[in-house]
Amino acid sequence: MLDLFSIFSKGGIVLWCFQGTSEIFSPSVNALIRSVILQERSGNTTFNHNSLTLQYKLDNEFELVFVVAYQRILQLSYVDKFLNDVHLEFRDKYKNELQGGQHMGDFDFKACFDAVLKGCEQWAKSQAKIPKQMRTFEDSQKSKKTVASMIERKGEEKGKKSVKIVEAKLTNGKPEEPEEDASDVLAARAKLAQKLSKSKKEVKKSPKSPKVEKDRTKKPRVWELGGGARDLPELDFSTDKPEDSNIIADTHLVGRMTGAIRDLEVESDESSSEEELEHTAPSPKKTGGMFSIFKGLVGSKALSAEAMQPVLEKMRDHLIAKNVAADIANKLCESVANKLEGKVLGTFDSVAKTIKATLTESLVQILSPRRRVDILRDAMHAKQEGRPYVMAFCGVNGVGKSTNLAKICFWLIENGMSVLIAACDTFRAGAVEQLRTHARRLNALHPPAERARPVVQLYEKGYGKDAAGIAMEAIRYAADCKVDVVLIDTAGRMQDNEPLMRALAKLIKVNSPDLVLFVGEALVGNEAVDQLVKFNQALADHSATAHPHTIDGIVLTKFDTIDDKVGAAISMTYITGQPIVFVGTGQTYTDLKALHAPAVVRALMK
Ligand code: GDP
């Protein structure tokens, strides 16, 4: 019945293997390692690949992985027990070898394996004969609720609501989505995203929470002659002050963005929490932060699932409070639990370190893009090929597309690139003027050498024209004039607006930009995740090609307004697998940062 059982070290050495058929299993096992174990998606221990179901268990003490594979159509009720039993048997039998780190030993395990398998098959048969009984209270979902989880705290309502919805769906009994094909990570992500957007809709429908619908449509901005964005204090070119005085005031920004984009720095109070954990005697100093949650684990020998359960529950609440989507918070906790179970925490201070390292490792995996985006390098490469590097910006109205496009333009100029901005937002009144002002401003900050052309040019054709056509002409113009980078500003559109999404798909299809960036507001949290998923889906649906060009990266704006609620960033990358290329952190040209896992971890642990 079983096709494969393999025991291998996390370092990749196969210790023992049983194969029931002559089929080649390595692609499936490799897919499991690549898509689940390495990507920290180890919350779910079942994985489907082609016609196989693979189930695995981690041994964190000896750093081993136990994998069983069987045909997907089979319903084997004993697999969980079997994995556990084999795991225990193998550990007991070879603990001396494993302790000595002799992963290359001769593990004659077949007889034992057969005996355990037989035992489990008999157990399954006997279980099948027992009539179904009602679940005890301990088995039910209710028993897992803590008093703390039922208390609604101020500021946590949002997270709590989505948790409730997820639970309600689970108890519904019937599957909500088509069967998950775990072999395809994208499918899993799409499913998760769908869930998220569904939860959102249900929240909206709920009569108990009559939310006032926020008017998200952008009001046309009134532009003054020679004016700029009125709401940008630093970039405000309008009214009373003559423009020149502003230009002089801003010159201190010049030269501050050379080289790669700087990392976002998050201040944390983790040092005090860590310090606290490192002392056995309780310190009078008051500490907050996530580390304090783990104080309960101190003194445990090998960490058991039971010992970790209440702690993980708190960690999950903490993550949800930081705006991490409930499903993803669950997965992160499960992933941390899987990595910690069985670990022996020696000294007192190692608790904090181990958990921090584990969480960081998981988040690094989640936040690490599937592909690296290095704009400066790619732009140089395109230049060598004699063509401009083209970036397109899309997103809903008012999220900060034009402002952040201008910031990116500033960064490119600081790095010696010449830029052409293609004004393809031919809908919104004032959009072209806004870009014109930015271009003028940027040129004033980086004046060209005598008789040289300006570093930033604007390609504009006014309003009401076909955006895809303007973008195409702009790219052609940039190629002819040897401009290094083209930045295409597109009109803001709601993710559900089919005609506009179709137009965006066309713009991307006919112009094939090197990078399509989705601009989303960190401020709206998981709403931005919903927008991103729908943009991606619409681009795929409307492009009418086998390999549609979807979103390549994310610009997360208004990060300065969200305090430490970094959850949306995690959710966005987790769901799409696309990197957060830039974060906007304010309203000056230099307020553009890169987001890396350590900063996110610090913000999460606060
Ligand atoms: P668009 O319609 O998407 O092009 O949005 P705009 O570029 O016009 O920006 C809308 C508003 O968001 C403006 O008032 C900007 O000043 C503001 N904004 C953009 N990026 C940021 C940011 O990173 N932080 C803050 N605080 N405000 C921003």
Side-chain angles (χ1 to χ4, degrees), residues 218 231-232 398-404 434 558 560 584 586-587:
K218 181 154 182 161
D231 41 359
L232 296 180
V399 289
K401 273 185 308 306
S402 316
T403 309
N404 286 279
Q434 184 177 7
K558 310 190 188 178
D560 48 316
Q587 308 196 29

Side-chain angles (χ1 to χ4, degrees), residues 26 29 81 238 263 291 362 381 447 544 582:
S26 44
V29 176
K81 178 175 163 51
S238 59
D263 277 3
F291 277 115
S362 300
H381 188 71
F582 301 104

